[in-house]
Amino acid sequence: MIPSIRTAYNHQFTHRQYQDFLEGIAAEAGEAPVFKVAETPVFIPAQLTAQLRKACDEIIAVILRPDFKELTRNAIPHQLKVPHENDHPHFMVIDFAVCRDEAGELTPRLIELQGFPSLYAFQELMARQFRTHFNIPDTVNNFFGGLNADSYFQLLKDVIVGEYLPEEVVLLEVKPHEQKTRIDFYYTEKMLGIQPVCVTELIQEGKKLYYEKDGRKIQIKRIYNRVIFDDLHRQHDKLGKHVSLFQDLDVEWITHPNWFYRISKYILPFIHSEYAPKSWFLDELPVIPSDLENYVLKPLFSFAGQGVLIDVTQADIDKITDPGNWILQHKVQYAPAIETPEGPAYCEIRMMYIWPDGSPVPILAHNLARISKSKMIGVSQGKPQNWTGGSCAFFEDAL
């Protein structure tokens, strides 16, 4: 999106560089990614950087409201509430589509947000390998706030491991070695020393949790939580006997599971920003719009297998029996903003925050990008196309 950098990158790109880049990732992480990694990063111009920062600030202002927990009291499904919720999430991500405004200028539009960690370790590895194998100018940066690779991982270590020994902290997931994102788990272990553990491997004694490592039983003091509790709930019967995480346990959560629901699609109707499409709870909609083709219908909770409806009709709305669990959101029009050697592509940018205890606000630290030739970004389109996939962004400083 920065024309001079984009043109130079496309002109200099070779498939040998791309293969070396992928092999560099695999060599450091111990395994190649099982998901498609794009052939290119995204280059964000200063004006768009400034808009993304402003949009994030306006969204975070809602999360910082003193009545935020009251505002989101109905966000957590009753059967999925976990005790000992803390004051804020330790990780938070905000997703934007790159669009064009009425004047034809690039602009972000909020898609979704989560009080949950993303690929925090892997994204640093990917960005660094892009710099190693391609000519990325020093005028753009994948980090924010003056961070570099060393200070970034120190911040992650302070938040995730804290005062504990690394072996007293685990990265918890459902079948971690079968997840498509497992490369992030392995690189997190390499950088922070914390082991990925499956929920089925937990051992409970009283309120304490343990796991086995090298023939030793080690108490877990802190969980770096990568379990999506919707998924855990859905797979409950298939997993066999395992510890219930919904009880009173003597363990700290990073991030506490309840924040996955509080900071989610649930708060979209409360965000009023030029960068956030209008959203309503379906049961609070004053009138059904006549132009439903310009809206999407999103379920607040996905554990029932319900998906987003893109081409909404009155019949779709009439079929919904629980309108309080759905939102109607104005449709976002992605712009084909990335010029590639094989035609233009769409993209989303994820702004990745870390929120240490004691900090009054979350810290913008890193980013993630997704590039697609289809407007349904993140939805499997069969065989991956060239110049699409997971990526990262390099930003010009905001004006």
Side-chain angles (χ1 to χ4, degrees):
M1 288 182 269
I2 301 174
S4 59
I5 301 178
R6 170 53 55 205
T7 300
Y9 187 96
N10 289 359
H11 180 71
Q12 296 167 9
F13 177 88
T14 69
H15 289 286
R16 181 67 263 169
Q17 282 176 300
Y18 178 56
Q19 290 305 314
D20 289 345
F21 159 73
L22 293 177
E23 289 168 12
I25 289 174
E28 278 207 70
E31 177 182 289
V34 294
F35 51 86
K36 173 67 163 48
V37 175
E39 287 84 342
T40 180
V42 179
F43 303 111
I44 306 290
Q47 184 175 349
L48 185 55
T49 299
Q51 290 181 317
L52 284 161
R53 296 291 300 264
K54 183 172 185 283
C56 287
D57 288 345
E58 291 173 353
I59 293 162
I60 288 167
V62 175
I63 295 165
L64 293 175
R65 283 174 50 165
D67 65 341
F68 183 74
K69 283 201 173 182
E70 175 61 22
L71 198 69
T72 56
R73 66 187 182 280
N74 296 323
I76 311 164
H78 177 73
Q79 72 274 23
L80 299 182
K81 285 185 178 177
V82 176
H84 305 303
E85 182 182 324
N86 64 332
D87 293 334
H88 62 79
H90 295 94
F91 293 94
M92 185 175 71
V93 298
I94 309 177
D95 291 349
F96 295 93
V98 175
C99 306
R100 290 196 184 274
D101 61 20
E102 294 77 6
E105 299 294 329
L106 294 173
T107 186
R109 290 291 181 268
L110 176 65
I111 297 296
E112 215 158 271
L113 66 171
Q114 291 180 330
F116 189 78
S118 188
L119 307 179
Y120 278 79
F122 177 73
Q123 288 304 116
E124 184 280 331
L125 170 59
M126 180 202 290
R128 185 160 38 77
Q129 288 293 332
F130 267 126
R131 280 206 184 276
T132 298
H133 295 282
F134 297 93
N135 182 23
I136 310 295
D138 291 337
T139 54
V140 291
N141 201 340
N142 52 298
F143 293 109
F144 298 94
L147 290 170
N148 58 32
D150 290 339
S151 57
Y152 175 72
F153 274 107
Q154 185 60 53
L155 180 59
L156 282 178
K157 185 176 181 181
D158 290 344
V159 171
I160 296 172
V161 181
E163 63 187 14
Y164 299 108
L165 297 173
E167 68 176 14
E168 295 175 326
V169 182
V170 298
L171 186 158
L172 192 66
E173 174 58 293
V174 177
K175 300 181 179 178
H177 305 292
E178 297 179 18
Q179 298 291 337
K180 286 186 177 181
T181 54
R182 61 183 180 264
I183 190 170
D184 180 69
F185 307 160
Y186 301 153
Y187 197 59
T188 300
E189 181 176 18
K190 179 176 179 178
M191 299 304 292
L192 303 185
I194 66 171
Q195 183 173 311
V197 170
C198 181
V199 293
T200 60
E201 298 171 328
L202 297 175
I203 302 164
Q204 182 178 357
E205 295 182 4
K207 292 186 177 183
K208 292 181 168 55
L209 292 180
Y210 299 83
Y211 74 111
E212 289 189 355
K213 181 179 181 179
D214 302 328
R216 296 178 297 133
K217 189 171 73 174
I218 300 170
Q219 184 182 348
I220 300 169
K221 304 289 184 65
R222 180 177 276 183
I223 292 171
Y224 177 37
N225 183 47
R226 298 296 290 269
V227 177
I228 295 177
F229 275 56
D230 285 6
D231 188 41
L232 180 63
H233 183 78
R234 189 164 49 239
Q235 294 197 52
H236 181 272
D237 294 338
K238 299 178 186 176
L239 291 174
K241 187 177 180 181
H242 61 276
V243 170
S244 170
L245 298 173
F246 302 100
Q247 59 183 307
D248 183 2
L249 296 168
D250 185 13
V251 69
E252 295 179 18
W253 292 94
I254 308 288
T255 284
H256 192 282
N258 291 357
W259 287 104
F260 179 84
Y261 301 100
R262 290 193 186 276
I263 298 178
S264 65
K265 291 187 286 279
Y266 189 91
I267 68 169
L268 292 176
F270 303 111
I271 297 170
H272 306 293
S273 164
E274 63 180 303
Y275 305 111
K278 298 289 187 187
S279 303
W280 299 266
F281 293 108
L282 195 56
D283 64 339
E284 296 179 4
L285 192 64
V287 63
I288 303 294
S290 58
D291 59 337
L292 281 173
E293 67 274 10
N294 293 321
Y295 293 82
V296 294
L297 200 55
K298 294 183 175 182
L300 291 178
F301 313 111
S302 62
F303 53 78
Q306 300 162 316
V308 175
L309 297 175
I310 301 295
D311 299 310
V312 184
T313 66
Q314 183 67 50
D316 292 324
I317 292 176
D318 292 342
K319 280 189 283 190
I320 291 175
T321 57
D322 55 343
N325 289 330
W326 291 78
I327 60 168
L328 190 70
Q329 183 179 32
H330 204 272
K331 192 177 286 185
V332 166
Q333 299 294 336
Y334 289 75
I338 300 177
E339 293 297 332
T340 83
E342 299 182 20
Y346 306 99
C347 80
E348 284 180 2
I349 305 296
R350 171 170 288 181
M351 306 292 268
M352 296 164 55
Y353 283 81
I354 302 173
W355 198 338
D357 288 329
S359 175
V361 294
I363 298 166
L364 180 58
H366 212 277
N367 76 89
L368 179 152
R370 288 185 287 200
I371 302 173
S372 177
K373 299 291 179 72
S374 163
K375 291 184 182 181
M376 285 288 286
I377 292 181
V379 176
S380 176
Q381 302 292 322
K383 184 180 178 181
Q385 294 177 281
N386 293 335
W387 297 85
T388 67
S391 187
C392 66
F394 290 92
F395 296 76
E396 273 187 335
D397 280 340
L399 298 171

